Every structure is written in C-alpha cells, then in structure tokens.
Amino acid sequence: MTKEQIEKRYNELVNGIEKKRMYDGRNTVDRYVCDTCEYMIHTTYKDKGVTPFTMRCTRCGGTMYHTKTFDKKTVPPYVMVFDWYRPTLEQTLKMSDGMIDHILNGGLILDSEKW
Ligand SMILES: [Zn+2]
C-alpha cells in the first residue's frame, strides 16, 4: 500500500468506527492470564476497536488468554489497567505491513510504555 492509500483507509476507519455496529469495550476491563506462569494483566479500551483473544506473555513468552471481563465501575483503583489504543496515522505509517493491516481493520495496540 502507498502512503496515500494507508492515509485514506485510516481516515475512513476513524470517521466511521463510532457509528459502526460492533462490540465496544470502553466501559469494561478485561483480564488476561498466562497459561504457563500465571502472570495476569488487566486492560481496557481507550478507543473503540478490536483486541485479540490471546497475546504473548511478556514475562515468560507463553500465551496469555482473555479469561474474564469486568464492568469498569467495579474495578478498584489500585488495579493497574493497561490501555488498548489506536495509534495515530503518523505512528501507523512507521509500522510493519502486518501491523498496518491490523490497524486499518480496526485493531488496537496495547500501551506498552506502562509495562
Ligand atoms: Zn507467562
């Protein structure tokens, strides 16, 4: 894809997603648990979009599975919650082809600066 094609699709996505009929996790907190070392993290949606059911464990390289979803209001403030967010167009343009595809299909990425 050229830079112009990516830009066009990115803008269509951002302009259309609020009206799109799809799951919106912004008022929920998801729990992911590693099936190897049992490391657990909690995440929420900063933007409306798509998140994966599994991800790689940053502690041991195993697989973390989405195990539970909570109402955000019931999660106590001491629980650290990471954000799934949509990168800006500038950030997206610097990514690999696979990641650009993911973003243009509504995919979000996890805010890893807080890890
Ligand atoms: Zn692990």
Side-chain angles (χ1 to χ4, degrees):
M1 267 186 288
T2 64
K3 186 171 177 285
E4 286 69 30
Q5 286 170 319
I6 295 169
E7 191 169 338
K8 184 170 179 286
R9 281 191 54 194
Y10 183 92
N11 289 331
E12 282 169 2
L13 170 78
V14 170
N15 293 332
I17 201 154
E18 289 296 334
K19 277 177 249 151
K20 205 167 166 197
R21 286 185 61 162
M22 60 181 280
Y23 177 73
D24 185 358
R26 284 177 291 191
N27 49 4
T28 67
V29 169
D30 292 316
R31 173 181 290 168
Y32 287 82
V33 183
C34 176
D35 68 346
T36 306
C37 72
E38 294 183 350
Y39 179 52
M40 183 168 78
I41 67 161
H42 294 93
T43 65
T44 190
Y45 291 58
K46 190 163 170 285
D47 301 303
K48 189 175 177 182
V50 181
T51 62
F53 180 69
T54 66
M55 61 180 144
R56 198 161 166 275
C57 176
T58 53
R59 293 281 162 90
C60 77
T63 305
M64 302 189 84
Y65 289 89
H66 175 211
T67 58
K68 225 172 163 184
T69 298
F70 304 91
D71 185 329
K72 206 182 237 175
K73 291 193 287 288
T74 68
V75 177
Y78 59 79
V79 176
M80 199 209 268
V81 180
F82 298 103
D83 287 327
W84 290 103
Y85 72 101
R86 175 166 298 107
T88 63
L89 177 62
E90 285 67 34
Q91 290 169 327
T92 303
L93 287 168
K94 288 182 199 130
M95 291 176 174
S96 68
D97 288 353
M99 279 306 290
I100 289 174
D101 244 25
H102 172 70
I103 302 303
L104 295 179
N105 286 313
L108 303 177
I109 58 175
L110 197 57
D111 182 0
S112 54
E113 277 167 28
K114 285 199 273 176
W115 289 90

